[in-house]
Amino acid sequence: MAEPTITPTRHRRRAVPQPRWILLGMLLAVLGSVLFVNAYTNASFTPDHHQSSSGQRDVPTSVVTGGPIISANSEQVRSYRLPERTIALTFDDGPDPVWTPEVLRVLDAHQVKGTFFVLGSQVSRHPDAARSLVAGGHEVGVHTFTHPQLAELPAWRRQLEYGQTQLVVAAVTGVRTPLIRFPYSSHANAIDNRDWPVVRSAGDLGYLTVLNDTDSKDWARPGVDKIIENATPDGTSGAVTLWHDAGGDRSQTVAALDRFIPLMKERGYRFVTATEGLNLAFAAAGVDHRVDAGVAATAGDRWRGRMLVWAVRGADDVLGVLGVLFVLVGALTVGRTAVLIVLSGRHARRRRSRDWTWGPPVTEPVSVIVPAYNEKEGIAAAVRSLANGDHPGGIEVIVVDDGSTDGTADIVEALRLPNVRVVRKPNGGKPSALNTGIALARHDLLVLVDGDTIFEPDSVRRLVQPFADPRVGAVAGNVKVGNRRSLIAKWQHIEYVIGFNLDRRLYETLRCMPTVPGAIGGFRREALRYAGGLTDDTLAEDTDITIALGRAGWKIVYEETARAWTEAPTSIGQLWKQRYRWSYGTMQALWKHRRSVLDRGASGRFTRRCLFFVSLFGVLLPLLAPVIDLMALYGLFFLDRKATAIAWLAMLGMQLVTAVVAFRLDREKLGVLWVLPLQQFAYRQLMYLVIIQSVVTALTGGRLGWQKLRRTGLEPPPIAPVRPPSPVDARPAP
């Protein structure tokens, strides 16, 4: 038979550089840094502060028996008490946007100033509350940045806690402070050998350590009367009293302060700030020295502090967005799973009902078009499986050799199959090869297949039965992974059954099938002509033509009994190339048909449904899905590990249920699902990166070239002997 030579018209492709891995690396590094900053500022690294005393052998007696204000460094150690009938109200753990203003309201009402030992992380988050402290004449002190147990930290980390707090205080209030109070500290007589080096090293840095004489224990919310009792000093002695303006519900604190201040004033007490009380103590001791807690910060400190504030608030904002996305992704996943199971189950029940039929048996002859470019490994098996099909109307196979350089056409000709034709043409791409085959096909029912795909004997016959319905313009077949031995191939097998075939049941039910797979798809010639044929406008010509058919009003269905076996990529690199092309091509197709969402009639109805579901579940959900893993990792390291593990296992359980449903509907063995949990740790992340890089490529306006996968050849699957066709076989098997 003479071989026609076709010279197709070729479209120019604009070459673009591939997006770089460094972009993805930078994105992951930024997200990792943001989560680290947020975890740090939320005190997620705080060691357990419940500890027993290590003894006081190393602590000077003058400190243990002295006052709550300690000036200690490597050269000298001194401690001070407030004069009699003098009280310094000190507050820890703020500022808080709710309770700090309430505390200030009470203090202002009684014309009293307080000393607020602030957390740097809280100052960063609530700068207005911190600013109001200094503006109101109150003083601030350092309470570290993240509220850790300082005795458990190395010296560099302690200095970081102090320095970062000073910087954000400088940025927000414009002042620096020499006062410091350590988290979980109490009275001077509680300082032990573990605490003493912390106190002395802080003194070397110029800090005055402020402890307390009385602890209101308002954090326990014991009641207003008990808080007042705890805070009241003995007799007429002076006292540094400890309160809290943050860390939870402080309504009892506010109410207790409102009673405590006038009560102490009635007893002859005066209220001072910590530095005012210290200066009074200096004067009483005849020390010619004065401490000021409101020293103006330098411009450099303020700028560095602003950068730190921006980092903390930015990390909070990003984590907040991630939290919203986490809920959104969870809701989308649960919703998609529920809709998928319900509608696909309905689809399967309808197909298996006794009265189901597409119509009269379709016995018209069929033309099978096989575009082939360097398919020497699998072309012989593929062509034999097609030529030996049992369709009663007969099968014509047209192999379009698209400029192969490996002898693909010669291999097909050597088979000498009477119903197989070979067409040679210069390389022009898969759409060009398909259009060439369609133009030369003798019949009106067309099956388009890939050159590496093996059909079962009854696949063509079953695939064309839906054309008994004159409204059907295209039929999607059931693609199976033929090489399932490797782990990565097993993962793809699961993905094909769940992510492709189960989805097609859903899409048919909703009348918005987005893709008739290139591996096995049936078409009416009339429908293809009406839609304008295949083009190379996108890298997903199968999605492009399917959407065009749906817009033209043709019904597109899924025939699960028409099975084709394909060779899945066996390496990460090959899989990446394939999925990169698929995802990017799908985005191109969606973008190409975007304007038709405004169309009236069948075109608009189909496009709105199709673009909504594909964009939501095929692009947006996979694009946002990494949030689940990201938050899971964050939770395991920095949040409640048990709750995080339970949530992750719940998601895995939902996927497992979906997989079981899909495998049952597809009559696949469940044994392979043992690799599903492993899929969550590698394969899924790879698909995330594919989607992300595809989106980046799309946003740059680029266009990828076709990427040929390396094939090793697929062995024909074990298939039971097929009975001679009969009219009954025209209906899908139950």
Side-chain angles (χ1 to χ4, degrees), residues 82-88 233-239 263-272 280:
L82 298 190
E84 288 194 349
R85 299 186 186 277
T86 304
I87 290 179
D234 295 332
T236 61
S237 60
L263 178 63
M264 292 298 100
K265 284 185 175 180
E266 289 177 3
R267 295 183 182 180
Y269 276 84
R270 57 179 173 176
F271 288 86
V272 296
L280 290 174

Side-chain angles (χ1 to χ4, degrees), residues 648-671:
W648 188 86
L649 289 174
M651 294 295 291
L652 179 60
M654 186 170 59
Q655 290 182 354
L656 184 59
V657 170
T658 305
V660 170
V661 170
F663 271 62
R664 287 297 188 190
L665 292 179
D666 236 27
R667 299 185 174 182
E668 288 282 354
K669 296 180 180 179
L670 300 179

Side-chain angles (χ1 to χ4, degrees), residues 592-669:
K592 175 182 176 179
H593 295 277
R594 68 192 184 282
R595 291 189 177 89
S596 60
V597 297
L598 303 177
D599 291 350
R600 295 182 179 180
S603 176
R605 288 193 299 271
F606 176 85
T607 309
R608 283 188 288 273
R609 285 196 297 264
C610 180
L611 265 65
F612 173 76
F613 281 103
V614 176
S615 298
L616 187 63
F617 296 128
V619 178
L620 183 62
L621 183 57
L623 190 64
L624 299 180
V627 172
I628 295 289
D629 293 334
L630 198 63
M631 296 303 290
L633 285 174
Y634 183 83
L636 286 175
F637 283 100
F638 308 124
L639 300 177
D640 188 328
R641 295 180 181 178
K642 182 178 179 180
T644 300
I646 291 174
W648 188 86
L649 289 174
M651 294 295 291
L652 179 60
M654 186 170 59
Q655 290 182 354
L656 184 59
V657 170
T658 305
V660 170
V661 170
F663 271 62
R664 287 297 188 190
L665 292 179
D666 236 27
R667 299 185 174 182
E668 288 282 354
K669 296 180 180 179

Side-chain angles (χ1 to χ4, degrees), residues 414-425:
L415 298 176
R416 299 185 182 280
L417 297 172
N419 59 339
V420 176
R421 282 194 291 163
V422 178
V423 178
R424 300 173 187 261
K425 63 180 285 293

Side-chain angles (χ1 to χ4, degrees), residues 435-618:
N435 286 332
T436 298
I438 292 169
L440 296 172
R442 298 189 178 101
H443 309 303
D444 290 330
L445 294 185
L446 306 171
V447 174
L448 310 185
V449 306
D450 289 337
D452 65 320
T453 304
I454 295 178
F455 274 38
E456 296 183 1
D458 61 351
S459 294
V460 172
R461 171 169 53 88
R462 292 185 180 279
L463 185 66
V464 299
Q465 293 311 307
F467 290 122
D469 183 347
R471 298 171 299 171
V472 173
V475 183
N478 190 340
V479 183
K480 296 291 185 181
V481 173
N483 53 328
R484 304 180 184 179
R485 294 183 179 180
S486 66
L487 182 60
I488 192 171
K490 286 183 173 64
W491 285 337
Q492 291 173 85
H493 167 48
I494 294 174
E495 181 186 27
Y496 272 58
V497 175
I498 302 175
F500 297 158
N501 295 332
L502 196 62
D503 278 358
R504 289 192 179 103
R505 299 176 189 270
L506 168 69
Y507 288 132
E508 182 190 328
T509 304
L510 297 175
R511 295 292 300 273
C512 61
M513 183 80 70
T515 305
V516 172
I520 176 171
F523 297 87
R524 289 187 191 273
R525 183 193 297 273
E526 177 188 359
L528 290 176
R529 184 185 301 117
Y530 191 88
L534 290 96
T535 72
D536 66 350
D537 294 339
T538 74
L539 289 178
E541 76 291 332
D542 46 5
T543 300
D544 186 11
I545 189 61
T546 305
I547 294 177
L549 291 172
R551 289 181 56 195
W554 291 98
K555 188 177 179 182
I556 306 166
V557 299
Y558 171 55
E559 179 49 76
E560 68 271 20
T561 64
R563 303 196 300 180
W565 298 76
T566 188
E567 181 181 358
T570 56
S571 69
I572 295 296
Q574 292 288 304
L575 178 63
W576 176 275
K577 289 181 180 180
Q578 182 193 68
R579 298 313 169 85
Y580 192 9
R581 175 174 59 81
W582 285 3
S583 61
Y584 183 67
T586 299
M587 293 177 194
Q588 286 180 309
L590 296 178
W591 184 254
K592 175 182 176 179
H593 295 277
R594 68 192 184 282
R595 291 189 177 89
S596 60
V597 297
L598 303 177
D599 291 350
R600 295 182 179 180
S603 176
R605 288 193 299 271
F606 176 85
T607 309
R608 283 188 288 273
R609 285 196 297 264
C610 180
L611 265 65
F612 173 76
F613 281 103
V614 176
S615 298
L616 187 63
F617 296 128

